[in-house]
Amino acid sequence: MTSRLLGLLASFALVALSPAPLLAREPVALNATVSAADPRAAQAGQEILRKGGSATDAAIAMMLALNVVEPHNSGIGGGGFLMHHDGATGALESIDGRETAPAAARPDRFMGADGKPLSFREAWPGGYSVGVPGNVRMAWDAHRKWGKLPWADLFQPAIHLAEDGFEVRERLDTAMRAVAPVWADFPEIRQYFWVDGKPAPIGAILKNPPLAALLKRIAAEGPDAFYLGDNARAIADAVTNAPRNPVPLTEADLASYQTRPRKPVCGKYRVYTVCGMGPASSGGITVLQILGMVERFPLGQWGKDDVRSWHVIGEAMQLAYADRDTWLGDPDFVSVPIPGLIDPGYLHQRSALISLRKARNDYRAGQPQGAQPRTAALPQPESGTSHFVAVDRNGDIAAWTSTIESFFGSQLIANGVILNNELTDFSFTPEKNGVPVANRVEPGKRPLSSMSPTIVYDAAGTPIFTVGAAGGKTIIMQIAKAVIAHFDWGLSAQDSIALGLQFFNGDGLVLEQGTSLEALKAPLERLGHRVTVSRLGLKANAAERLPDGHWVGAADPRSPGVSLQE
């Protein structure tokens, strides 16, 4: 038994996997694979792998390429989370590259003059919502640890796309049309994306010379070209003098940004070990809570078309999200009771609240051990995120979720970089009933995120599945559903992420329109659920290790994404 496996077998415990060498070296991967939400990004990752790059190198190249071809979703104007498995040592590590609130941000940032929280539409566009971006610094830190090719080589695919141009496709067209009314106040971003007074049509070729120039500087000089000097001044000026909601963001805010190494959270699900990001991501903990609550039920026996499966999953989902909204936040600022939230005894108590006969319709946070007094305040909606994964021939895995939050972030642009609106992931109300909200705004703080890059290990401690997603708060449920579908229902990685999703809102359960789940509306209603059917903005990417040792990537059919082998 390997030293890594001994650590993994601690059921639902907070785990930092040791970087010490394994007693018996894990088999290397027989091939390499990448998966991304846009074919041009996947091709960038594949190109890097063909040059002998590591999984991390490929992931960085995909992040940079997505910055160009998927500018409405992710990029270097935002941040993300990276999970990394080392094929040689078995070590699992993660980096928190989440954006931080600038020094001028205060708990009342999103409170209006009338003492009430602003609406999302009031807070989202402009300066209020911009956090200090983390992706460039995270890429640099990851490359220093796990990169193989020269740093500058990783920028070449993105520079080519920005300099020579890329084709507008359906997803970008949809995003542009969704935000076009807001761009009346944002001439700089409108100038780049509009042609003849309207959003660039499908098939148009867009170029971004300022971004190409910036990428060349970062490639040559490292992250200081982004966080210091001319570019830092450009970002600070864009936010401080924003046409809407101007607010100070300084060069000092950018210069002081640092990533955070985080301990992955790992827990048992049946014979498998599921590992995800710890806070400031809520993903790892909430996924483990959902899985921990449904584990006592025979989901494999019931199958994916049985109403009992989705009833139980729906109940666990809503109980877990109640805990998420109350107890989770940036661990550098608030005490997060991680061991208590994923303790098997606590999850057994929470699971006992699930009845097979009827829906609860009352989903309150529990009281995990170590929790301090706190009240819940729900975050705002998000839509601009992307996940990508790379596995190299050494068995390294890089699972990275990147975001600028909403479509086109804050609508502010500097040197061709679209700036995020991540601060709207904070709770707008800083306290309730005199008790501080865990996810309130504070200077230097990271807003709570749903991003959930995940790696799953088999009983022998070998990584066999990795998955991540985009879609705001649905991300967590997309990951839990994919894990259940793959390991309980025997679906491939591709079919697991393609399977319809069940989520929830203030009115009850939501079943994804156009999927097999629609047939469960009436059966779920007979169990007492309030149910609606609706489209859900989903987008997942994954990879699985086959029994013969080959890795196969998977891309969500809801998106234009692809997986490519090497």
Side-chain angles (χ1 to χ4, degrees):
M1 182 176 293
T2 67
S3 58
R4 171 170 50 77
L5 180 56
L6 288 171
L8 287 172
L9 290 177
S11 295
F12 288 100
L14 178 64
V15 177
L17 297 180
S18 171
L22 300 178
L23 297 180
R25 191 180 188 279
E26 177 180 300
V28 298
L30 297 179
N31 66 318
T33 188
V34 294
S35 179
D38 188 285
R40 294 160 291 189
Q43 289 161 6
Q46 183 187 49
E47 176 182 330
I48 294 300
L49 289 176
R50 284 177 173 170
K51 291 181 177 179
S54 67
T56 295
D57 291 335
I60 293 170
M62 289 190 286
M63 182 273 290
L64 295 168
L66 285 166
N67 180 86
V68 182
V69 301
E70 202 184 53
H72 53 291
N73 277 350
S74 64
I76 62 175
F81 297 112
L82 171 63
M83 294 277 292
H84 184 272
H85 168 85
D86 190 305
T89 67
L92 177 66
E93 299 177 70
S94 63
I95 302 177
D96 178 344
R98 183 73 160 149
E99 301 87 342
T100 57
R106 293 293 182 269
D108 63 353
R109 165 157 290 200
F110 297 114
M111 299 296 288
D114 58 0
K116 297 179 181 179
L118 300 175
S119 69
F120 177 76
R121 287 193 167 274
E122 291 174 311
W124 152 50
Y128 281 4
S129 63
V130 181
V132 180
N135 265 335
V136 171
R137 182 68 67 185
M138 183 163 71
W140 176 258
D141 292 347
H143 183 259
R144 291 173 66 191
K145 290 175 70 72
W146 306 303
K148 292 177 65 177
L149 293 183
W151 167 256
D153 288 6
L154 313 182
F155 286 73
Q156 300 314 305
I159 291 170
H160 170 74
L161 288 164
E163 204 162 45
D164 296 343
F166 67 96
E167 182 184 6
V168 174
R169 297 182 180 172
E170 183 179 356
R171 282 288 180 115
L172 177 55
D173 175 73
T174 299
M176 285 192 291
R177 294 181 185 282
V179 300
V182 180
W183 283 355
D185 293 336
F186 296 90
E188 288 189 43
I189 196 169
R190 187 176 67 232
Q191 181 179 5
Y192 170 55
F193 286 105
W194 278 24
V195 175
D196 297 329
K198 58 185 178 181
I202 293 175
I205 302 298
L206 292 179
K207 298 180 181 181
N208 193 336
L211 176 60
L214 176 61
L215 291 176
K216 288 179 181 178
R217 294 202 303 273
I218 300 171
E221 303 169 22
D224 284 353
F226 183 88
Y227 291 99
L228 303 175
D230 292 344
N231 189 64
R233 283 190 288 277
I235 293 174
D237 180 70
V239 176
T240 304
N241 300 301
R244 289 176 63 176
N245 297 329
V247 67
L249 187 150
T250 68
E251 292 180 57
D253 289 321
L254 288 149
S256 62
Y257 181 85
Q258 297 293 327
T259 65
R260 291 282 189 270
R262 300 292 188 192
K263 294 180 179 181
V265 289
C266 295
K268 292 286 288 182
Y269 181 63
R270 310 206 188 279
V271 301
Y272 306 99
T273 300
V274 180
C275 295
M277 280 296 308
S281 169
S282 64
I285 290 173
T286 311
V287 167
L288 288 177
Q289 284 199 310
I290 294 168
L291 297 176
M293 282 187 262
V294 304
E295 187 173 19
R296 70 183 177 94
F297 298 97
L299 300 183
Q301 177 184 327
W302 291 344
K304 64 180 178 62
D305 299 316
D306 194 309
V307 67
R308 291 172 294 182
S309 294
W310 294 100
H311 163 68
V312 165
I313 293 169
E315 295 288 272
M317 169 181 65
Q318 292 174 90
L319 289 168
Y321 273 80
D323 272 353
R324 173 201 185 272
D325 294 333
T326 298
W327 303 119
L328 300 186
D330 184 343
D332 295 335
F333 284 78
V334 296
S335 174
V336 182
I338 300 174
L341 285 165
I342 56 177
D343 175 74
Y346 175 71
L347 293 177
H348 178 77
Q349 293 173 8
R350 297 290 279 168
S351 181
L353 298 174
I354 300 173
S355 166
L356 282 177
R357 296 189 301 273
K358 63 179 180 179
R360 288 188 58 79
N361 291 317
D362 178 19
Y363 308 94
R364 300 181 185 181
Q367 289 292 321
Q369 186 173 2
Q372 297 179 356
R374 209 169 284 159
T375 55
L378 299 181
Q380 303 300 319
E382 59 177 300
S383 55
T385 303
S386 205
H387 181 79
F388 38 100
V389 61
V391 183
D392 65 31
R393 289 182 180 272
N394 292 322
D396 286 11
I397 302 170
W400 188 330
T401 311
S402 170
T403 187
I404 57 169
E405 181 68 358
S406 300
F407 283 157
F408 299 98
S410 63
Q411 317 307 305
L412 298 175
I413 189 168
N415 281 335
V417 175
I418 296 173
L419 303 179
N420 68 84
N421 67 299
E422 292 300 339
L423 299 195
T424 58
D425 259 357
F426 282 117
S427 298
F428 285 15
T429 304
E431 63 178 46
K432 283 191 173 182
N433 303 320
V435 179
V437 172
N439 191 38
R440 67 178 182 168
V441 183
E442 295 177 79
K445 190 175 184 179
R446 289 161 158 80
L448 189 64
S449 171
S450 297
M451 293 185 287
S452 310
T454 300
I455 300 176
V456 182
Y457 297 79
D458 67 12
T462 301
I464 56 173
F465 186 70
T466 180
V467 63
K473 289 180 70 179
T474 71
I475 290 173
I476 294 165
M477 195 55 214
Q478 289 184 69
I479 305 308
K481 180 262 295 183
V483 170
I484 291 168
H486 189 61
F487 294 106
D488 284 303
W489 299 332
L491 301 186
S492 67
Q494 180 67 40
D495 290 342
S496 295
I497 60 178
L499 185 66
L501 189 75
Q502 173 181 262
F503 197 55
F504 73 104
N505 58 24
D507 296 325
L509 295 180
V510 180
L511 304 179
E512 186 181 0
Q513 184 178 336
T515 71
S516 61
L517 266 65
E518 284 193 58
L520 297 178
K521 183 177 187 296
L524 285 167
E525 288 174 335
R526 286 194 289 270
L527 286 169
H529 291 283
R530 298 185 299 275
V531 185
T532 57
V533 175
S534 178
R535 292 178 60 86
L536 296 172
L538 312 178
K539 187 176 65 178
N541 293 81
E544 63 176 309
R545 187 178 190 270
L546 301 179
D548 66 2
H550 284 87
W551 279 86
V552 177
D556 202 317
R558 303 172 184 86
S559 81
V562 299
S563 63
L564 300 174
Q565 313 305 311
E566 175 55 32

